[in-house]
Amino acid sequence: MRRLVSLTAATVAAGLTLTACGFGGDDDNGGGTEEGGSTTLDLLVPQYSDGTTALWDEIIASFEEDNPDVTVNLEVQSWDNINDVIRTKVQAGQAPDILNIDAFSGFAKDDLLYPAEDIVSEETFADFQESFVENASLDGTVYGLPMIASARALFYNEDVLAQAGITEPPATWDDLLAAGTAIAALGTGVYGYGMPLGSEEAQAETSIWTFGGGGSWTDGDAITVDTPENLAAVEFMKRMIDEGATQPDPGATDRTPMLDVFIQGSIAMAVGLPPTIGQIEERNPALNYGIAPVPTQDGSPVTLGVADHLMAFRNDDDKQDAIRAFLDHFFSSEVYLSFVDTEGFLPTTMSGAEGTANAERFADFLEVLPDAQFYPSTNEAWAATQGALQTLVGQIQTQDAATVMQQIQASADDA
């Protein structure tokens, strides 16, 4: 196997411009085994960072060098767009062969996906950590290969908090509100708490609050958005906005640009991910910051855990061997750790957990991971619920929280 080298500065720079190399069912190279024995695989992935495209390009190049009879077509989409893109492709009969995304249950229940054990070797499948396998199971069958994991924690600007007379990071919602309003009262132009309720990841911010108030998105098989616990959490979010503890216009704020504002020092507190550490090192290494557990209603530990998945569509059984070869290549120790460590996520494999170079720097996240709650991604109504959260929850800045929650529940009920 060609050794997968670390990304150079030039390679990363090449990835700064997002390339979306589209593929479709009418592409002459989109079939299974072609004349001459070659196979083309279409791979659709989200953009995790500015270097995502370059990193995938290198992984694909190393695979194609070892497998010259297989060509992999890469398409990279933003998280804002990828759910719409995959829905459109599936409806048009142009699903990718391999997809990297979070929720997958709808595709599985429509019998569009291979069972995970059919598309990786026994050795690869046995290496996944059990908790992630359980989270990726639907009626006892695993369809999504756990690819990367993440947990959320509170990043805070130590200098700004000290300036506002705050000696400890907030542990409860009341602490967070008090800190946010105290920072706003300084009049320095620094906002207290970054609350991203735009379409990129409003479901994550909302989940952090609902889980932190003892809420949940499910009761058995039912999606339960409009519950007393969830409503209380969203009402407190609205209170944060109304009392000036957040940045202006949270409903139009996406997570990625919000975190950049935190990194530049103009937001004092924000919920971030493991990759946020590397972004700070790259963009503002002088930032004096700390990391603490996410504030909850009563200070009890809880966080949002996220696991994204790789899955394969049953487009053409002639491609199954090529799919298995590519996924085994991706999850091989060297290749997988190159991806996880470069993108700054937590590994989902046992060998990855032992070999990651980020164990020490991600200690704060590994500490809270046992208290993580996850999206109900195996519930077929979750995709519609997530979409409704992304488009509607930001309206709490101008509307009654109860009305907004009722609208989101209605979308879940209609799914």
Side-chain angles (χ1 to χ4, degrees):
M1 184 184 78
R2 185 177 70 88
R3 181 171 179 81
L4 192 70
V5 298
S6 299
L7 290 176
T8 63
T11 306
V12 173
L16 291 176
T17 301
L18 178 63
T19 59
C21 304
F23 50 77
D26 294 330
D27 191 316
D28 290 337
N29 293 324
T33 302
E34 302 167 3
E35 293 184 10
S38 63
T39 300
T40 298
L41 298 179
D42 293 330
L43 171 64
L44 175 60
V45 303
Q47 183 186 30
Y48 289 107
S49 71
D50 290 338
T52 295
T53 301
L55 186 54
W56 273 114
D57 282 342
E58 189 161 354
I59 290 170
I60 290 168
S62 68
F63 170 76
E64 290 179 344
E65 184 169 311
D66 285 346
N67 298 269
D69 57 336
V70 182
T71 299
V72 180
N73 289 336
L74 174 67
E75 178 174 352
V76 183
Q77 291 285 346
S78 72
W79 276 109
D80 276 346
N81 295 333
I82 193 166
N83 285 289
D84 290 336
V85 169
I86 185 60
R87 279 193 292 267
T88 300
K89 287 181 181 293
V90 168
Q91 290 169 0
Q94 299 177 1
D97 298 300
I98 301 173
L99 173 67
N100 167 201
I101 207 168
D102 44 9
F104 59 84
S105 62
F107 303 135
K109 290 191 174 182
D110 288 340
D111 198 29
L112 298 177
L113 302 179
Y114 285 104
E117 291 181 273
D118 291 351
I119 51 172
V120 291
S121 66
E122 291 183 10
E123 180 182 6
T124 296
F125 190 81
D127 194 32
F128 292 111
Q129 298 182 55
E130 184 61 30
S131 60
F132 293 109
V133 171
E134 291 176 359
N135 189 55
S137 298
L138 181 65
D139 297 330
T141 300
V142 179
Y143 291 95
L145 296 166
M147 177 184 171
I148 55 170
S150 183
R152 308 300 168 104
L154 183 73
F155 285 69
Y156 60 95
N157 187 315
E158 294 188 351
D159 294 336
V160 175
L161 264 63
Q163 189 179 3
I166 302 163
T167 58
E168 297 288 340
T172 68
W173 291 350
D174 288 335
D175 294 341
L176 185 63
L177 176 61
T181 53
I183 291 164
L186 293 174
T188 60
V190 177
Y191 304 113
Y193 176 74
M195 184 180 288
L197 299 181
S199 61
E200 179 185 3
E201 215 186 25
Q203 82 283 359
E205 180 69 18
T206 311
S207 296
I208 288 164
W209 287 85
T210 56
F211 293 165
S216 172
W217 295 126
T218 57
D219 182 4
D221 293 334
I223 291 288
T224 52
V225 175
D226 190 17
T227 67
E229 295 83 2
N230 291 346
L231 177 58
V234 175
E235 285 177 337
F236 202 96
M237 293 166 62
K238 179 173 176 59
R239 183 179 172 192
M240 290 278 295
I241 298 168
D242 292 345
E243 296 189 21
T246 71
Q247 84 284 5
D249 202 9
T253 301
D254 282 343
R255 183 198 70 197
T256 299
M258 181 278 296
L259 283 174
D260 194 52
V261 176
F262 167 81
I263 291 168
Q264 299 308 318
S266 294
I267 288 176
M269 300 173 291
V271 172
L273 307 91
T276 307
I277 296 173
Q279 293 162 2
I280 293 171
E281 293 170 348
E282 176 187 348
R283 301 171 190 173
N284 188 11
L287 183 69
N288 183 22
Y289 74 97
I291 303 175
V294 171
T296 61
Q297 187 174 37
D298 61 5
S300 300
V302 68
T303 189
L304 170 66
V306 175
D308 289 345
H309 303 86
L310 280 166
M311 62 209 70
F313 284 81
R314 291 178 174 273
N315 295 330
D316 184 342
D317 285 340
D318 288 341
K319 294 187 177 187
Q320 186 174 353
D321 288 343
I323 290 170
R324 183 185 294 108
F326 181 79
L327 292 174
D328 280 343
H329 175 82
F330 176 81
F331 284 110
S332 62
S333 180
E334 182 185 9
V335 177
Y336 180 60
L337 283 176
S338 175
F339 185 91
V340 174
D341 287 347
T342 301
E343 291 285 24
F345 289 106
L346 308 177
T348 60
T349 64
M350 290 181 283
S351 61
E354 293 174 357
T356 179
N358 289 328
E360 183 175 349
R361 71 187 307 202
F362 291 163
D364 292 300
F365 294 93
L366 293 169
E367 182 179 346
V368 301
L369 197 56
D371 299 308
Q373 295 185 34
F374 293 85
Y375 299 132
S377 57
T378 57
N379 189 303
E380 61 183 331
W382 174 245
T385 307
Q386 175 174 302
L389 283 163
Q390 289 172 306
T391 57
L392 295 174
V393 77
Q395 296 178 9
I396 62 170
Q397 66 187 51
T398 57
Q399 294 186 28
D400 178 71
T403 300
V404 174
M405 294 295 276
Q406 289 165 7
Q407 292 173 343
I408 297 170
Q409 181 68 66
S411 295
D413 294 341
D414 290 340

